[in-house]
């Protein structure tokens, strides 16, 4: 099936959660909605599922208007962040649920339902769990059961809300590869929501970056990683170093920065901001260098350097593999910076705390949200 | 270095006394246990011992005497009627109070506690005034041939009035805690509203619902104050068991009184036991955790 969303908007009270979303998902595609908390991605997913309704806009699936349809009539598989397994039913009963509640005329026989459940349990590699209750399962097993329950009704569209949100880091990484295989094998068109770029990039064919209720960028993981379309996307994808530069003939220039490794850009001359990932910068020891090394910390494989900008006083954090570190790096020493890859945008104000709040569309602008957000930026 | 090894050896040889983190365990536990013994357990034991003095034949004779038997039968039937009504209506009330938004909801919610807060005698007086032949309701019902006062209906009505909050107040918090995502999940899987209630919501509130219904029945069995005003207390017809126990006591027939009390006690205990068993069954999925 294919899905088209046009001009969709949704507000909760005074907060605009979605501001004109246009999105097309092709048959069999695996799409990630990536964005910080409050960017509207979960609301969009719930609208597709029929658990929420937009104030304006259209939602069409295979050319059919889906907005008048209730969730029951849409035949979608929805996997909730915390799985929402029915606690009083066994794993097999949970998976069979969508089939046992079909109207009598279209309901498969108990035999057929049992076969389908067996088949899914095998497909998800959990046949031994059939008789257990959800309380007896680990987080990863619950996720598989939730996926099986959603897939049992042969959904036209599979929707996953933060599929790894409730799991710990190790299980997350293991399950990510497994889920990608399962989804590709099942061939169901899938849309999932995540705030973790690694997750989005590893799982999805196409990533949709959302911020403040808008789609900021759509593209393959590589495109988005290498060419973020806006300062928002650049910051969200870890380009946390922002250096003011001057553009001359498509090249960035600034004292103490050697940008010769960067490709020329087709932008007008003038003030610009260079966005960089901490790991894309090589420090070159230079007694006359503009940046002073404040601290050097080792994480084993990596060296993390905290630099102070002699000119502006701002701080810059960079990260280099320890075995590639040039000789002569010492705390208190001076360095030049050699960016290896980066992205130029017309001059923007450096990200301040209030700006962070503003583009997070805080639909409850509390302190916790901001902390979560800044964590996402520095990840 | 060697002294460190010694300390290690000593620690593993001597049993370690675990200190409790929460303060006052001994005191609070002691007070609770003594209270349960003195206030709850002792009277029950006294009653059982008193009953045992009667002897089984005499006991059987008292309980199966026509008047006693009629009183017990009336009490049980009326309590059962009241409980069926409370189960249905209480569930509905809890549902409305949790799931519906309407003006005055908080007031309705507060009104739910009135049967608990009201002295039962006041409730009984009010009900009999309303349902008497010249009362507001009685004036409408009696011409239709429905007589409430001085009948089993009146008894059941009084029992239901005083015990309905048990069902509402036990189901309500569980329903409030039920995350809407379970219902949403069932909806995306194609379940109709009624199926969602039957297969997802009701099983989740079933243990609390059973507790509420049992408590409501137990309370109805023993309800005295509200009932005696509306029942008319005609021997063999509308005389409830607890009233008969009082009458026996006033006649200095201690054996008769305690035999009736024992039967009521036994019914209540068996009921609590059965209810707990059913609940354990309903909650079996929560017992084992990985």
């Amino acid at each position: 099936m294919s899905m088209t969303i046009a001009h969709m908007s949704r507000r909760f009270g005074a907060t605009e959660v979605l501001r004109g979303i246009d999105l097309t998902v092709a048959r069999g595609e695996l799409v990630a909605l990536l964005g910080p908390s409050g960017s509207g991605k979960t609301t969009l997913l719930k609208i597709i599922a029929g658990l929420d309704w937009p104030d304006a806009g259209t939602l069409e699936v295979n050319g059919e208007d889906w907005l008048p349809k209730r969730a029951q009539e849409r035949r979608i598989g929805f996997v909730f962040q915390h799985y929402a397994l029915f606690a009083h039913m066994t794993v097999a009963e949970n998976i069979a649920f969508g089939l046992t509640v079909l109207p009598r005329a279209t309901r498969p026989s108990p035999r057929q339902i049992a076969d389908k459940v067996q088949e899914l349990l095998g497909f998800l590699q959990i046949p031994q769990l059939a008789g257990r209750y959800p309380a007896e399962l680990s987080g990863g097993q619950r996720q598989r059961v939730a996926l099986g329950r959603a897939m049992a009704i042969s959904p036209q569209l599979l929707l996953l809300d933060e599929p790894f949100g409730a799991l710990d880091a190790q299980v997350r990484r293991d399950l990510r590869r497994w889920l990608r295989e399962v989804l590709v094998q099942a061939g169901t068109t899938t849309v999932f929501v995540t705030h973790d770029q690694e997750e989005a990039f590893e799982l999805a064919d196409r990533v949709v970056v959302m911020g403040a209720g808008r789609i900021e960028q759509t593209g393959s993981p590589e495109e988005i990683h290498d060419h973020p379309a806006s300062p928002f996307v650049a910051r969200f994808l870890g380009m946390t170093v922002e250096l003011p530069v001057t553009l001359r003939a498509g090249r960035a220039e600034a004292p103490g920065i050697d940008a010769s490794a960067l490709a020329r850009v087709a932008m007008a001359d003038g003030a610009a901001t260079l966005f960089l990932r901490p790991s894309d910068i090589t420090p070159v020891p230079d007694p006359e260098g503009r940046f002073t090394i404040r601290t050097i910390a080792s994480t084993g494989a990596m060296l993390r350097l905290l630099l102070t900008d002699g000119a502006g006083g701002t701080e810059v954090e960079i990260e280099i593999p320890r075995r590639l570190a040039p000789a002569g790096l010492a705390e208190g020493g001076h360095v030049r910076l050699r960016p290896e890859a980066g992205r130029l945008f017309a001059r923007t104000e450096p990200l301040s705390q209030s700006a962070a709040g503003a583009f997070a569309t805080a639909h409850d602008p509390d302190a916790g949200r901001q902390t979560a957000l800044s964590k996402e930026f520095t990840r | 270095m060697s002294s460190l090894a010694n300390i290690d050896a000593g620690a593993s040889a001597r049993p370690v006394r675990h200190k409790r983190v929460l303060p006052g365990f001994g005191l609070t536990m002691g007070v609770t246990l003594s209270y349960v013994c003195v206030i709850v357990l002792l009277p029950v034991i006294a009653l059982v011992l008193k009953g045992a003095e009667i002897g089984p034949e005499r006991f059987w004779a008292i309980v199966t005497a026509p008047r006693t038997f009629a009183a017990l039968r009336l009490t049980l039937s009326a309590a059962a009627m009241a409980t069926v009504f409370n189960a249905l209506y209480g569930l509905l009330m809890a549902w409305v109070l949790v799931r519906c938004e309407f003006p005055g909801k908080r007031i309705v919610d507060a009104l739910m506690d009135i049967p608990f807060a009201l002295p039962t005698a006041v409730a009984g007086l009010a009900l009999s005034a309303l349902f008497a032949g010249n009362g507001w309701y009685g004036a409408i019902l009696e011409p239709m041939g429905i007589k409430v006062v001085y009948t089993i209906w009146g008894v059941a009505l009084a029992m239901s009035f005083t015990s309905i909050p048990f069902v509402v107040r036990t189901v309500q918090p569980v329903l409030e805690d039920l995350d809407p995502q379970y219902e949403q999940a069932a909806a995306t899987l194609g379940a109709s509203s009624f199926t969602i209630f039957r297969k997802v919501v009701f099983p989740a509130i079933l243990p609390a619902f059973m507790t509420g219904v049992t408590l409501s029945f137990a309370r109805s069995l023993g309800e005295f104050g509200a009932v005696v005003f509306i029942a008319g207390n005609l021997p063999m017809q509308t005389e409830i068991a607890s009233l008969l126990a009082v009458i026996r006591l006033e006649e200095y027939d201690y054996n008769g009184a305690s035999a009736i009390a024992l039967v009521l006690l036994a019914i209540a205990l068996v009921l609590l036991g059965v209810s707990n068993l059913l609940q354990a069954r309903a909650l079996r999925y929560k017992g084992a955790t990985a």
Side-chain angles (χ1 to χ4, degrees):
Chain A
M1 66 109 248
S2 62
M3 178 180 73
T4 311
I5 292 171
H7 315 300
M8 186 172 283
S9 60
R10 175 80 172 109
R11 53 165 66 239
F12 294 131
T15 316
E16 284 186 86
V17 182
L18 298 178
R19 321 175 183 218
I21 298 287
D22 293 288
L23 177 67
T24 306
V25 176
R27 182 188 195 89
E29 216 181 358
L30 217 174
V31 172
L33 300 177
L34 172 68
S37 315
S39 57
K41 54 194 193 312
T42 298
T43 305
L44 184 57
L45 199 72
K46 294 213 153 160
I47 289 175
I48 299 173
L51 300 173
D52 192 12
W53 269 264
D55 299 317
T58 57
L59 165 64
E60 285 183 4
V61 171
N62 289 336
E64 192 186 355
D65 184 6
W66 257 22
L67 289 178
K69 288 186 165 195
R70 294 182 307 148
Q72 279 93 333
E73 298 156 339
R74 296 190 187 191
R75 221 179 80 217
I76 40 118
F78 198 104
V79 177
F80 288 79
Q81 182 174 1
H82 298 284
Y83 316 130
L85 296 177
F86 306 128
H88 60 281
M89 296 182 199
T90 63
V91 166
E93 287 165 349
N94 262 287
I95 293 179
F97 186 87
L99 299 173
T100 52
V101 299
L102 282 173
R104 203 175 296 276
T106 49
R107 192 191 308 158
S109 71
R111 184 74 248 154
Q112 285 168 312
I113 293 179
D115 287 346
K116 177 83 188 172
V117 170
Q118 271 313 315
E119 181 198 320
L120 275 166
L121 286 169
F123 180 60
L124 300 170
Q125 298 154 15
I126 46 171
Q128 74 283 7
L129 301 180
R132 302 249 203 112
Y133 286 100
E136 303 168 309
L137 305 179
S138 71
Q141 291 170 332
R142 278 178 213 182
Q143 194 205 33
R144 291 179 189 220
V145 177
L147 193 62
R149 185 177 67 177
M151 286 166 66
I153 58 170
S154 313
Q156 312 190 58
L157 179 61
L158 199 55
L159 305 170
L160 297 90
D161 186 10
E162 296 275 0
F164 306 99
L167 301 172
D168 50 49
Q170 184 56 46
V171 183
R172 254 167 205 252
R173 272 192 292 276
D174 294 346
L175 276 180
R176 217 183 277 159
R177 200 167 310 123
W178 173 85
L179 184 62
R180 161 94 202 167
E181 280 166 23
V182 166
L183 293 178
V184 167
Q185 218 178 321
T188 314
T189 313
T190 304
V191 177
F192 74 98
V193 154
T194 180
H195 64 267
D196 184 334
Q197 46 161 315
E198 232 183 277
E199 227 161 77
F201 288 176
E202 194 172 335
L203 268 170
D205 302 326
R206 197 152 62 97
V207 176
V208 176
V209 184
M210 290 185 67
R214 288 203 178 83
I215 291 180
E216 293 277 340
Q217 187 173 5
T218 306
S220 72
E222 292 79 11
E223 276 165 27
I224 291 177
H225 184 271
D226 295 345
H227 307 288
S230 64
F232 171 87
V233 179
R235 285 175 185 136
F236 184 61
L237 296 186
M239 294 189 166
T240 50
V241 177
E242 294 173 31
L243 297 170
V245 295
T246 312
L247 267 181
R248 202 156 295 146
R251 283 202 181 280
E253 291 176 5
I257 295 169
D258 167 15
S260 59
L262 301 179
R264 264 174 208 279
V265 292
M267 281 171 66
D269 288 359
T273 304
L274 177 58
F275 283 76
L276 300 162
R277 290 193 173 81
S279 54
D280 287 341
I281 307 170
T282 309
V284 181
D286 176 355
E288 304 293 300
R290 170 179 155 190
F291 298 91
T292 314
I293 303 177
R294 272 257 306 277
T295 57
I296 302 180
S298 168
T299 62
M302 306 293 281
L303 281 185
R304 193 166 291 152
L305 277 65
L306 190 62
L307 311 177
T308 321
D309 184 349
T314 54
E315 289 185 339
V316 174
E317 195 186 49
I318 64 175
E319 216 177 45
I320 45 169
R322 194 159 56 109
R323 64 187 165 82
L324 296 182
L329 289 179
E331 290 184 4
H334 293 267
V335 290
R336 278 181 289 134
L337 297 185
R338 196 186 137 78
E340 309 293 345
R343 187 85 171 106
L344 281 159
F345 290 106
R347 177 67 57 89
T348 54
E349 284 306 304
L351 182 64
S352 67
Q353 204 51 326
S354 61
F359 77 79
T361 358
H363 77 14
D364 54 347
D366 55 350
R369 163 78 42 81
Q370 293 210 350
T371 323
L373 186 75
S374 48
K375 231 189 255 159
E376 275 162 359
F377 283 124
T378 52
R379 180 173 293 146
Chain B
M1 197 60 217
S2 67
S3 68
L4 196 69
N6 282 344
I7 290 170
D8 276 352
S12 61
R14 230 178 298 123
V16 180
R17 197 184 135 87
H18 291 240
K19 297 262 196 269
R20 287 183 192 279
V21 180
L22 295 179
F25 174 79
L27 183 67
T28 50
M29 189 69 188
V31 169
T32 308
L33 276 183
S34 351
Y35 175 87
V36 168
C37 288
V38 173
I39 311 287
V40 181
L41 222 47
L42 263 180
V44 173
I45 290 172
L47 181 60
V48 173
L49 289 177
K50 185 81 195 155
E53 281 173 16
I54 307 171
E57 277 162 38
R58 178 101 182 77
F59 179 85
W60 189 246
I62 296 174
V63 171
T64 50
R67 190 173 168 188
T68 324
F69 186 73
L72 285 171
R73 203 181 54 184
L74 171 83
T75 310
L76 279 173
S77 326
M81 285 159 61
T83 305
V84 169
F85 176 80
N86 284 354
L88 297 176
Y89 188 67
L91 187 62
L92 179 71
M93 276 303 292
W95 181 267
V96 168
L97 286 177
V98 174
R99 290 302 169 91
C100 304
E101 288 305 324
F102 54 92
K105 177 173 162 174
R106 293 169 63 99
I107 298 174
V108 176
D109 193 83
L111 282 177
M112 226 39 247
D113 284 328
I114 285 198
F116 274 173
L118 212 60
T120 51
V122 176
L125 269 175
L127 287 175
S128 20
L130 275 178
F131 284 93
N134 55 1
W136 291 347
Y137 296 160
I140 303 169
L141 291 175
E142 286 200 0
M144 295 163 67
I146 304 168
K147 196 163 153 50
V148 174
V149 186
Y150 302 159
T151 65
I152 186 171
W153 297 104
V155 179
L157 178 76
M159 286 175 171
S160 166
F161 179 85
T162 52
S163 61
I164 194 161
F166 278 114
V167 179
V168 180
R169 290 298 186 225
T170 47
V171 172
Q172 203 180 354
V174 180
L175 210 50
E176 267 164 7
D177 285 346
L178 193 67
D179 196 316
Q181 68 171 343
Y182 295 104
E183 286 152 75
Q184 292 178 344
T188 63
L189 292 165
S192 65
S193 306
F194 179 68
T195 308
I196 294 176
F197 179 79
R198 191 167 56 90
K199 290 200 156 186
V200 176
V201 177
F202 191 68
I205 59 173
L206 182 62
F209 179 66
M210 283 195 308
T211 306
V213 169
T214 315
L215 288 175
S216 161
F217 187 79
R219 169 72 192 261
S220 297
L221 271 187
E223 183 52 47
F224 182 83
V227 176
V228 291
F229 284 93
I230 201 167
N233 311 322
L234 304 168
M236 303 298 295
Q237 286 176 40
T238 58
E239 189 176 57
I240 53 167
S242 358
L243 179 66
L244 188 59
V246 173
I247 293 171
R248 292 289 182 244
L249 205 61
E250 281 171 348
E251 294 165 349
Y252 301 104
D253 178 4
Y254 293 119
N255 287 346
S258 46
I260 296 169
L262 259 182
V263 172
L264 288 179
L265 176 71
I267 295 172
L269 283 182
V270 166
L271 209 74
L272 283 176
V274 169
S275 155
N276 277 327
L277 272 180
L278 287 176
Q279 272 180 62
R281 231 181 76 80
L283 283 171
R284 66 195 183 283
Y285 56 84
K286 277 188 178 160
T289 35

